[in-house]
Amino acid sequence: MVTTPRPLIDSAVRSVCGRDVERLVPLAGGGMNETYRAELTGDLTVVVRIARQDASWFVDEAQLMAQAREAGVPTAEVLGLEHLDHEGELLSFSVQRFLPGRSLDELVGVLPATELERLVLDAGEILARVHSVTPYAGRGIRHELRLPDEDAVAKISRIVAETLDPAAAAVVERGADFLRREVTTRPAPPLSLAQGDFLPKNLLVHDGTVVGVIDWEFAGPASPAFDLARWEVSAGAPLHDRSDLLRRGYARVADPESAAAGFTPAFAIDWTLEMLAWKNPASPAQFARCVDVIARCTNS
């Protein structure tokens, strides 16, 4: 369903591309934004992303994507940005060149295991190239470890105890203690460019190759451990348990252990605590996954 009035989309695309939209198809995903495939006159296909924010959106994303592309990361070319006021609301449009393919998570269970493993290895190499970039100063979202809030942890523990069992709640509390020690006793890690949502759902595969990393909305300066931890927690079965493959591919370009500087467990726990605190509760399976990750991160 098209939420933004079609004339506004047509106007933004025409301003960027100088062509008319012949066909507009809503795309699944896109995070917090509307996302469409637009087929234009002259046999050109683009992706249109639309955000509703108080300030102009997609500006940092476009610059960071360009930086990553220069480092050899396959990303879509951003053809242009438009910002329009509609009935007192600011709409930001990012018009990007269309990349063919299916997301890697769609191919789980479809591709042979050996092919899937090869693609994850390639993804690891791509991630290392992302982390080789020093982002422009002041651009993107900065991702840092956060000191756990005691009241929030107590609430999460009660919910986990009710959803799973008291033993699982004890694991959550142990994870919060671990994160507090990391935040208060270790110096902040060195920063590079983090993609911010480097997961199978955002890796496009075409003809057996990872042809695009999409959805850079949360990109910005962070420890490389941030992206590595997100994969371990949220890549989805069975890939979240194959971080070894991602790291082996990473090692083609850089040493993943040196890049992460030992911060992956802390970032993984930080992310699981955020997930467990979401207003829309996670499923019991997601709760169990979070607890499992915390248990592995704190068993030393």
Side-chain angles (χ1 to χ4, degrees), residues 10-292:
D10 290 353
S11 175
V13 172
R14 191 181 302 110
S15 178
V16 170
C17 301
R19 307 187 191 193
D20 293 328
V21 177
E22 293 188 332
R23 186 166 180 256
L24 195 66
V25 180
L27 297 178
M32 301 182 296
N33 309 307
E34 293 177 57
T35 308
Y36 304 95
R37 185 181 75 244
E39 298 171 6
L40 314 183
T41 56
D43 198 28
L44 175 65
T45 301
V46 299
V47 169
V48 184
R49 299 176 67 213
I50 307 169
R52 289 168 166 78
Q53 299 287 341
D54 294 335
S56 298
W57 209 244
F58 299 127
V59 177
D60 288 1
E61 178 188 70
Q63 292 196 3
L64 296 176
M65 288 171 67
Q67 274 194 281
R69 192 162 55 252
E70 290 174 0
V73 178
T75 69
E77 178 187 0
V78 178
L79 301 175
L81 306 177
E82 284 290 311
H83 307 283
L84 303 174
D85 181 82
H86 175 63
E87 298 180 349
E89 183 178 41
L90 179 62
L91 302 183
S92 294
F93 297 80
S94 176
V95 182
Q96 306 176 7
R97 196 174 297 277
F98 175 76
L99 295 175
R102 297 173 64 186
S103 64
L104 182 58
D105 67 335
E106 291 182 70
L107 299 174
V108 173
V110 176
L111 294 177
T114 54
E115 183 71 2
L116 196 62
E117 290 179 0
R118 182 184 63 78
L119 289 169
V120 175
L121 286 168
D122 292 346
E125 179 177 342
I126 290 169
L127 183 58
R129 297 190 185 283
V130 173
H131 293 162
S132 72
V133 174
T134 300
Y136 293 125
R139 294 296 183 187
I141 298 174
R142 188 183 181 101
H143 302 284
E144 297 178 303
L145 291 173
R146 298 161 293 184
L147 194 64
D149 178 84
E150 291 186 10
D151 290 340
V153 172
K155 181 178 179 181
I156 292 168
S157 297
R158 288 195 300 270
I159 295 172
V160 169
E162 293 169 1
T163 304
L164 299 177
D165 53 51
V171 171
V172 170
E173 292 169 0
R174 188 168 77 235
D177 289 340
F178 177 93
L179 183 55
R180 287 190 192 97
R181 289 194 300 272
E182 291 289 285
V183 173
T184 56
T185 64
R186 296 188 63 184
L191 306 180
S192 63
L193 176 61
Q195 197 273 344
D197 203 20
F198 194 88
L199 295 172
K201 66 179 182 178
N202 289 324
L203 302 177
L204 291 182
V205 177
H206 183 63
D207 288 342
T209 301
V210 179
V211 297
V213 182
I214 62 173
D215 197 356
W216 290 74
E217 189 166 7
F218 301 106
S223 164
F226 177 87
D227 284 328
L228 292 167
R230 289 290 177 107
W231 182 282
E232 183 174 343
V233 177
S234 299
L239 297 181
H240 55 212
D241 287 327
R242 294 310 311 270
S243 292
D244 61 308
L245 291 173
L246 193 74
R247 290 170 181 264
R248 279 169 50 194
Y250 196 107
R252 297 172 183 170
V253 174
D255 176 19
E257 302 306 323
S258 296
F263 279 97
T264 302
F267 275 104
I269 291 172
D270 182 72
W271 177 230
T272 58
L273 292 178
E274 180 176 331
M275 292 175 63
L276 291 171
W278 284 346
K279 291 182 179 179
N280 295 323
S283 67
Q286 290 172 315
F287 269 77
R289 174 65 190 171
C290 288
V291 171
D292 178 62

